Amino acid sequence: MAGKRVGSPLGVTLVAMVLAGLITALVLSFVLDDDETAGPPALTLAPGAGDGTIPPGELEGEPAPDFTFEPLTGGADIDFETFRAGRPALINFFYNGCVPCVVEMPDLEDAFETYGDQVAFLGLSSAESVRAGRELVERTGVTYDIGRDPDGDIITAFAGGGYPTTVFIAADGTITTSHLSQIHPDELRDELNGLLA
C-alpha cells in the first residue's frame, strides 16, 4: 500500500506565502511603528555640509546657545550650563529610526567611559516620542545622560542639518566643532582630546 501524501505543492506554496506575508508585516511594524519611531530623515544635509562637518564660521568659535532640556526619564527641565558645570561638553542629537545614530552610540558610550569624568556627555532624543527614545537607549545600553528635543528646537539652535549631529563645546562655552553624520571613533577621540588640551 502506497504512503499517503501529506500536502500538495499548491498547499505548500500557499503556506509559504502566508508565512512570508506575516514576517514582512512584523518587520514593517518595527520599522514604521505608527510614527512612534518616525523622525526626520537621517543625514538630511545642510547646504555645503557634504563633508560631514557644518561649514566653519557658522558655529565654530561662537557661544553655544542657551537651552534647557527635559530628561528622557522625566522630571524637571535642566539648564544645560548648570548641567555641564564649566566642563567641556559633547552633545549628540539622534533619533530611533536613524541607522548611523544607532551604530555610533556604542562608540559614544566607550568614549563616555574614558572621558566622562572630564567632559559632560549629553544625548538628545530629537523629534520623536519618549517611548522611541527610551527603546533606543535600552537597546544600545548607553549610560550617559539623555534628554529630549521633542520638536527639534535645540538642534535647530545649533544649526544642525541632519542626524546624527555631534557638537563639541569648550570649557568656556564656545563651540569648537559640529560634526554631521556618524563620527568615527578616532575622530571622536581626537575631538575630545582637543577639548581637554
Side-chain angles (χ1 to χ4, degrees):
M1 182 169 149
K4 192 171 181 182
R5 190 168 182 175
V6 175
S8 69
L10 179 59
V12 171
T13 302
L14 286 174
V15 169
M17 289 174 61
V18 169
L19 286 174
L22 287 172
I23 291 169
T24 301
L26 182 63
V27 169
L28 287 175
S29 73
F30 281 110
V31 172
L32 300 177
D33 198 23
D34 294 298
D35 291 333
E36 286 297 322
T37 58
L43 298 176
T44 304
L45 298 179
D51 64 352
T53 304
I54 294 173
E58 281 192 30
L59 292 176
E60 291 179 9
E62 296 293 322
D66 292 329
F67 69 93
T68 60
F69 64 92
E70 174 191 340
L72 188 62
T73 54
D77 285 358
I78 298 171
D79 176 72
F80 177 69
E81 282 304 303
T82 303
F83 169 79
R84 77 177 189 89
R87 295 176 293 167
L90 173 157
I91 305 172
N92 176 255
F93 295 92
F94 68 89
Y95 75 94
N96 196 312
C98 163
V99 173
C101 301
V102 178
V103 172
E104 78 177 0
M105 287 178 86
D107 295 330
L108 291 168
E109 176 65 19
D110 288 345
F112 171 68
E113 290 173 7
T114 302
Y115 296 92
D117 58 341
Q118 300 170 283
V119 177
F121 278 66
L122 177 63
L124 287 174
S125 171
S126 192
E128 65 183 351
S129 69
V130 172
R131 187 180 88 177
R134 287 180 179 172
E135 189 278 331
L136 181 54
V137 168
E138 289 172 14
R139 182 161 33 119
T140 57
V142 297
T143 61
Y144 49 87
D145 289 284
I146 303 290
R148 298 191 67 224
D149 180 21
D151 300 316
D153 294 335
I154 302 172
I155 191 172
T156 299
F158 278 90
Y163 296 86
T165 289
T166 305
V167 180
F168 298 89
I169 300 170
D172 67 0
T174 59
I175 297 170
T176 60
T177 312
S178 187
H179 189 94
L180 173 63
S181 78
Q182 181 181 339
I183 190 164
H184 189 274
D186 290 343
E187 293 173 295
L188 180 56
R189 185 186 63 246
D190 290 346
E191 293 287 356
L192 292 168
N193 286 335
L195 288 179
L196 298 171

